[in-house]
Amino acid sequence: MNIILLGPPGAGKGTQAQRLVERHGMRQLSTGDMLRAAVKAGTPIGLQAKAVMERGELVSDEIVSGIIGEELDAMGPDAGAIFDGYPRTEAQAMSLEKLLADRGRTLDHVIELEVDEDALVERITGRFTCATCGKGYHDKFEQPKLPGTCDKCGGTEFKRRPDDNAETVRTRMAEYRAKTAPILPYYEAKGIVTRINGMAEMDEVTAEIEKVIG
Ligand code: AP5
């Protein structure tokens, strides 16, 4: 199964993708995570992407579609894919269609997490992740069970993203409204879009997604 999780920054795409990975053994293809890894490693792509990401703008379509193609090639043909944060523009949606068709894959569902934008700044500025395994947490909504220790791997170091500040979040939301939301009608015409209330409790959102993917 191949699914897209769509929604503005902080909608819960990464949170829900991690849960699908744990429950169904699917692969999470997060262009944001891939770009952050490239920035950290100082690769040519990372050097190009760093300043763009810090401003909250979109990295070029060619770069992100290129890395998604590489990731799809590295996956087993039977593994399901969860596209998290990709596609984000019409050009990326067209590239994904070709990338999937070339590999004999089809897109099964586009799940849009609908959220109240006012709540997103609080979600994003309170977010942190385990520096070892990447599990996501939140100051208010999801603390580690044992304070200072990751539930998943026992790690004790945590990190926050440089673009998770209120000013950059506003730019990221504007980019979503201007460039990403307009791709929904394309998928609606194919009859594969489901809208889910992303403001519900995390477990409720997961249950709704499970209903969609069966
Ligand atoms: P990316 O990493 O994709 O960031 P984003 O889309 O802005 O999304 P986020 O990761 O911020 O949010 P999320 O929806 O995953 O929310 P999360 O689950 O963490 O992209 C970063 C940058 O990279 C972009 O700005 C761009 O520059 C570049 N980029 C990436 N992909 C690109 C592409 N395809 N093209 C061009 N450029 C690209 O949840 C947020 C917080 O809320 C968490 O702390 C979580 O615990 C909490 N939370 C989640 N769900 C709930 C809930 N139901 N109730 C309460 N709290 C919740």
Side-chain angles (χ1 to χ4, degrees), residues 27-197:
R27 279 286 311 275
Q28 175 186 9
L29 300 183
S30 160
T31 39
D33 287 349
M34 293 169 200
L35 290 167
R36 278 184 288 281
V39 170
K40 192 174 172 200
T43 65
I45 283 177
L47 293 174
Q48 281 185 61
K50 185 171 186 290
V52 179
M53 292 174 78
E54 283 174 359
R55 289 197 299 272
E57 295 167 5
L58 294 185
V59 174
S60 83
D61 293 330
E62 292 71 25
I63 286 180
V64 289
S65 293
I67 56 179
I68 283 285
E70 286 170 16
E71 290 292 323
L72 282 171
D73 287 339
M75 284 170 55
D78 299 330
I82 309 156
F83 297 97
D84 162 11
Y86 178 90
R88 259 174 151 102
T89 63
E90 202 178 299
Q92 290 179 26
M94 296 307 124
S95 296
L96 178 60
E97 181 134 324
K98 180 158 185 348
L99 288 169
L100 291 174
D102 287 351
R103 290 158 182 81
R105 289 175 178 265
T106 48
L107 193 56
D108 299 286
H109 299 286
V110 176
I111 298 175
E112 188 199 12
L113 299 176
E114 291 187 303
V115 280
D116 168 3
E117 280 201 8
D118 292 338
L120 296 182
V121 174
E122 182 187 26
R123 277 199 191 177
I124 288 179
T125 53
R127 168 170 61 184
F128 61 100
T129 54
C130 171
T132 309
C133 73
K135 172 157 175 42
Y137 294 98
H138 193 278
D139 291 329
K140 186 168 161 190
F141 304 120
E142 197 184 9
Q143 283 276 1
K145 292 187 181 72
L146 181 63
T149 305
C150 176
D151 300 345
K152 189 172 168 191
C153 76
T156 52
E157 283 191 31
F158 297 87
K159 58 182 182 180
R160 290 177 193 261
R161 280 169 42 179
D163 59 343
D164 276 354
N165 57 75
E167 192 188 331
T168 307
V169 169
R170 301 275 178 216
T171 306
R172 286 158 57 194
M173 284 177 187
E175 289 282 72
Y176 181 81
R177 275 194 301 269
K179 297 173 185 166
T180 308
I183 66 180
L184 267 163
Y186 171 72
Y187 292 120
E188 270 165 351
K190 292 176 180 280
I192 55 171
V193 175
T194 306
R195 293 193 162 82
I196 286 179
N197 175 18

Side-chain angles (χ1 to χ4, degrees), residues 12-30:
K13 305 180 295 290
T15 301
Q16 297 300 329
Q18 284 187 355
R19 291 176 174 209
L20 292 176
V21 168
E22 280 161 22
R23 286 164 186 231
H24 299 287
M26 297 172 79
R27 279 286 311 275
Q28 175 186 9
L29 300 183
S30 160

